Each structure stands twice: as structure tokens, then as C-alpha cells.
Amino acid sequence: MYDQSVSVGKTKGFTLPRAAVATIVPAGHQVTLAAGDRVTLLQALGATATVTTRDGEMARLSRQDSIDFGFIDAPDGSAVASDAPFSIDRVWEAATTVYDPEIPVDIVELGLVYRVDAEQLDGGGWHVDIDMSVTAPFCGMGDILRLDLRDAVAAVTGVDTVDVKLVFDPPWDASRLSDVARLELGMF
């Protein structure tokens, strides 16, 4: 594999070295950005990067493209996997690695994770049930964030299965934001 990383200028703009499949935010549908397209990096947090396209749309790059283009580091497995025994705290820690592609705040600080429960299975592993919401009921990114959360929690040592449900009751509102999120978003 050759180095595909990009050089990001002061304006955070760069030219795609190859075509890349991206998800339009917040609609949630996929598009292919062409090699040579000029895009602007908005954020590179968690496992993906978000850019604006030449048409002015926000698009979330895939994890692999975000790694290939040099915006995030390849996972080394140490973030949540360890010899430490399973705990709900480690599940919550894993959830903080998932970021909203529009807002530079993780989904826990945004107040999108409503409930985390775990049950030990007969074989000794754990099944984790999670309820989460999105900031708007018609957000096309809901299923994508749900899968990101599932994958992050599945990487926790001791977790055998994960079920993440999107819930809309109670509806999310800004009162669910943590103080950290409010500070990051300039709401203090």
C-alpha cells in the first residue's frame, strides 16, 4: 500500500488523492467523492473525519479513508481492549470515542446515550444493551452513529454481544448536554 496521506493547508483544504465513498451529513446517504476533488477538513475526531465538499455539503469519510488520508491514527486496540476485567465504566469510556460528525463533541457529552445495561452470559462474557438518541428525530446519521457505538462497545474486553437501540422518548434537547459539551460549543 502506498502513502495516500494528504497535505492540509492553512485553510484545512486538500485535494483527494483518490476517489472516496463518504456519507452526506445529516442526510445519511452515500456519495463518491472523485479523485482530485477539493474538500475542506472540518473535524477529525473519534474514528472518522468530516469534510465539506466542493458543493458545500458536509460529508463523513469512512474510517479507512480517514486513516489513509492521515486524519486519524489506525486503531492499536489499546483504547478499550486490555486485561482489565469488564466494567460498565469501560463501556461508557468506549462510547466517548464516538463523535457526532457535525458537532465536535462525543455522543456521551452530547447526552445521546440514555441507558447502558449489562448482563453476564452463561459462558462468562457480557451482553450490553444501550439506548441512544439523536439530536433530531429525522437525522439520517442515527443508524450510522448506532453502528459506530455498537462497534466501539464490542471492542471492550469481555463483551460478547451488543444491542444498541435508537429511542426517541424522551426526545433529546439541549438540557441533556454536559458542561463539557456546553463549553466546547460556546454555550457558557
Side-chain angles (χ1 to χ4, degrees):
M1 181 179 208
Y2 64 94
D3 181 14
Q4 301 176 38
S5 62
V6 295
S7 176
V8 178
K10 284 193 260 184
T11 63
K12 297 187 180 181
F14 65 95
T15 302
L16 291 173
R18 62 169 169 74
V21 175
T23 303
I24 297 297
V25 178
H29 64 275
Q30 288 192 332
V31 298
T32 300
L33 304 175
D37 275 3
R38 184 98 177 134
V39 297
T40 303
L41 179 66
L42 293 175
Q43 69 181 32
L45 299 167
T48 62
T50 303
V51 298
T52 53
T53 69
R54 65 181 176 173
D55 297 328
E57 294 181 294
M58 249 189 293
R60 186 180 106 154
L61 298 174
S62 71
R63 171 182 281 226
Q64 192 59 55
D65 286 338
S66 297
I67 292 168
D68 289 350
F69 297 157
F71 297 127
I72 63 168
D73 294 327
D76 64 6
S78 65
V80 291
S82 75
D83 293 335
F86 171 85
S87 72
I88 289 290
D89 289 342
R90 298 202 51 240
V91 171
W92 281 101
E93 181 183 331
T96 66
T97 67
V98 178
Y99 283 78
D100 185 291
E102 294 177 276
I103 306 168
V105 177
D106 72 68
I107 63 172
V108 172
E109 298 294 345
L110 283 173
L112 297 178
V113 180
Y114 285 9
R115 179 187 66 88
V116 174
D117 287 324
E119 177 183 346
Q120 192 161 25
L121 303 170
D122 290 339
W126 291 85
H127 172 77
V128 179
D129 272 316
I130 302 172
D131 288 347
M132 71 168 291
S133 194
V134 289
T135 56
F138 299 107
C139 176
M141 297 302 292
D143 246 2
I144 293 163
L145 290 173
R146 182 183 66 79
L147 295 174
D148 287 351
L149 179 56
R150 182 202 64 197
D151 293 347
V153 171
V156 172
T157 301
V159 172
D160 286 349
T161 59
V162 181
D163 185 27
V164 180
K165 294 179 200 80
L166 277 177
V167 298
F168 301 99
D169 187 29
W172 182 90
D173 63 48
S175 70
R176 298 190 63 89
L177 292 168
S178 72
D179 288 345
V180 170
R182 289 176 193 284
L183 184 62
E184 181 68 30
L185 298 172
M187 297 174 74
F188 271 120

